[in-house]
Amino acid sequence: MHADERFEELLSAYGSPLYVHDLARVRRACHDLAAALPEPARLYYSLKANPHPGLVAELARCGAHAEITSRGELAAALEAGCAAGELLYSGPGKTPGELREAVAQGVRAFSVESFGDLERVGAAGAAHGTAVDCLLRVNAAGAPGDAGLRMTGSASQFGFDVDALLSAPERLRVPGARIAGLHFFPLTNARDEAGLIAEIVQSVRTAAALRDELGLSLRLVDLGGGFAAPYAVPGERPRYPALRKAVTGVLDAELPGWRQGAPHIAFESGRHLVGDSGTLLTTVVDVKDSKGTRFAVLDAGVNHLGGLSGLGRLLPMKARPLGPADGEVRRVTLAGPLCTPADLLGRSVELAGLRPGTVLAFPNVGAYGLTASLLGFLGHRAPAEVLVDGGRVVSATRLALHRHPVPAADTRSAVTTARS
Ligand SMILES: *Cc1c(COP(=O)(O)O)cnc(C)c1O
């Protein structure tokens, strides 16, 4: 069946607006990325891009581990069937309460962003009577070259400055925490392969230098990623044909035990793995002209596809109407249903034949779609999310925000719990 007919059929069944995610594309992306990386390497899927448990489960079946940053992402990973002991918990601002819950649920690996973060993670491990693995996230320089270890990145809430690590190594001895390795994530959405390779090579060199200067025994080095994907515009995932050879070379030189897992090497990705799996279907509700501008008002706006833009900042997005394009091409502004002039999904875009009932498809919105949007703003119902695999519907669900009562904590016994 033609893809557009399939989309029409799904819309009739599940209503508009509608997110459709194709698991076959997720598998292909995971396979392609694994083939571009050095072997052996672990691949983490960053749930931030899309925490839908069906996508997480599919990626787990493809061998990806889950990288999580919150109670909600932990719950999604567990619901997807991931083993708690294989998760990597990262992100700044991890509170004592969420850390205690994560450790109690079996999480044993954390990326830590500062000495304070390390102490809080260690305290959660110690309170549970265990020691958890910590990767030191390093805020290292972006630019390639041989400027070496002393070079640091720009000011950031993410990661340790290299100088801070070197000047206070004793602060890495924290009860309940075992320094297990290093974590780098210097850039994202890198289309330029040469730049990405230079960045990863630099991270490997920094890892080796920190190992030597701090006397670390590295068990896991997470080199991050930055693998790109188109967002809400037509296009293909970029390929990285030279990456495997180049990174393998620097690993052999700098971290010679890596093939035997000493250290294990990891990469992480969100958008590259799920971006091209998703399409948002939205229906034109109204067409009107105002002072020379034609507006098409859609049933989806920045509450459903506001990802990475935020109010008032419009990314270039490019939808196409389903079915044969008839009628004259017009310049039209695509507005969503929210009562704010910032709710735009396209300004002065050229489209043919828009009328009430026309369905528009936004491609490549599998990452940073629904959960990166202003879902709660103005209270519109979330689109259903349908997972398909080839021609088969695997699941259809709708995300909802619920208000529920919160019992007061017993403050005599648990002040910190009450505050976190
Ligand atoms: C956001 C983020 C990712 C995922 O980024 P993508 O560009 O979607 O691949 C991975 N790791 C960290 C630490 C992040 O903050």
Side-chain angles (χ1 to χ4, degrees):
M1 192 188 296
H2 189 268
D4 283 6
E5 289 169 34
R6 183 63 177 146
F7 280 151
E8 297 277 10
E9 207 178 79
L10 292 170
L11 269 181
S12 307
Y14 300 103
S16 175
L18 185 69
Y19 268 97
V20 181
H21 295 282
D22 188 346
L23 296 180
R25 283 176 169 267
V26 173
R27 285 194 297 275
R28 212 173 303 144
C30 193
H31 176 267
D32 289 348
L33 184 54
L37 296 175
E39 162 79 25
R42 185 179 301 175
L43 181 58
Y44 283 100
Y45 170 56
S46 304
L47 267 72
K48 177 177 78 181
N50 191 330
H52 191 304
L55 297 182
V56 181
E58 191 64 29
L59 285 161
R61 283 189 284 276
C62 296
H65 293 230
E67 189 232 342
I68 58 170
T69 61
S70 66
R71 287 178 170 103
E73 290 183 0
L74 172 56
L78 295 177
E79 183 184 338
C82 298
E86 297 196 339
L87 303 175
L88 175 61
Y89 203 120
S90 68
K94 299 186 280 292
T95 65
E98 74 176 283
L99 287 169
R100 265 201 310 277
E101 286 175 34
V103 173
Q105 290 185 75
V107 180
R108 290 295 179 270
F110 294 84
S111 169
V112 296
E113 309 264 3
S114 68
F115 291 114
D117 195 27
L118 174 63
E119 282 157 23
R120 282 183 289 276
V121 171
H128 197 76
T130 186
V132 298
D133 287 337
C134 290
L135 305 184
L136 305 173
R137 180 159 175 193
V138 180
N139 173 28
D146 55 1
L149 189 55
R150 306 261 162 204
M151 188 160 80
T152 55
S154 48
S156 173
Q157 74 265 53
F158 303 116
F160 289 85
D161 291 349
V162 168
D163 290 344
L165 284 174
L166 295 179
S167 61
E170 71 285 352
R171 294 190 66 187
L172 297 176
R173 281 192 295 276
V174 168
R178 199 164 39 215
I179 306 304
L182 300 167
H183 179 200
F184 299 83
F185 193 75
L187 82 175
T188 183
N189 210 10
R191 298 206 144 264
D192 166 42
E193 184 179 32
L196 179 62
I197 290 172
E199 202 67 58
I200 294 173
V201 164
Q202 182 63 29
S203 294
V204 173
R205 296 205 172 118
T206 304
L210 280 172
R211 172 201 60 203
D212 296 343
E213 294 245 358
L214 295 171
L216 301 175
S217 84
L218 298 176
R219 287 191 286 126
L220 176 62
V221 174
D222 182 342
L223 293 168
F227 310 106
Y231 181 71
V233 292
E236 303 284 317
R237 268 180 287 118
R239 300 298 172 116
Y240 300 100
L243 194 145
R244 171 177 273 200
K245 186 156 176 278
V247 177
T248 297
V250 73
L251 287 171
D252 283 340
E254 302 281 352
L255 301 171
W258 75 280
R259 289 170 192 268
Q260 288 74 47
H264 291 287
I265 299 300
F267 295 87
E268 55 197 49
S269 175
R271 74 187 69 223
H272 191 81
L273 292 173
V274 296
D276 75 1
S277 76
T279 306
L280 174 64
L281 304 174
T282 169
T283 305
V284 176
V285 178
D286 192 23
V287 176
K288 60 174 274 191
D289 295 303
S290 170
K291 299 189 187 296
T293 296
R294 171 154 292 196
F295 288 86
V297 183
L298 312 175
D299 61 4
V302 295
N303 51 338
H304 301 148
L305 183 62
L308 309 186
S309 61
L311 277 177
R313 201 176 121 230
L314 182 61
L315 289 167
M317 301 195 194
K318 198 164 183 347
R320 66 176 179 87
L322 289 197
D326 52 355
E328 131 193 49
V329 172
R330 297 281 308 252
R331 286 200 169 274
V332 58
T333 288
L334 302 177
L338 305 187
C339 304
T340 161
D343 188 15
L344 298 180
L345 295 185
R347 193 180 275 128
S348 198
V349 295
E350 292 196 332
L351 286 167
L354 292 196
R355 58 183 74 86
T358 304
V359 176
L360 291 177
F362 284 90
N364 291 318
V365 292
Y368 305 109
L370 192 58
T371 59
S373 303
L374 293 168
L375 190 55
F377 195 35
L378 279 103
H380 288 276
R381 185 170 79 164
E385 295 173 272
V386 176
L387 302 191
V388 300
D389 196 344
R392 196 167 52 91
V393 172
V394 175
S395 80
T397 56
R398 191 188 311 280
L399 196 56
L401 295 175
H402 289 295
R403 186 179 301 282
H404 56 85
V406 180
D410 180 350
T411 53
R412 284 162 307 178
S413 64
V415 171
T416 53
T417 304
R419 291 188 179 173
S420 61

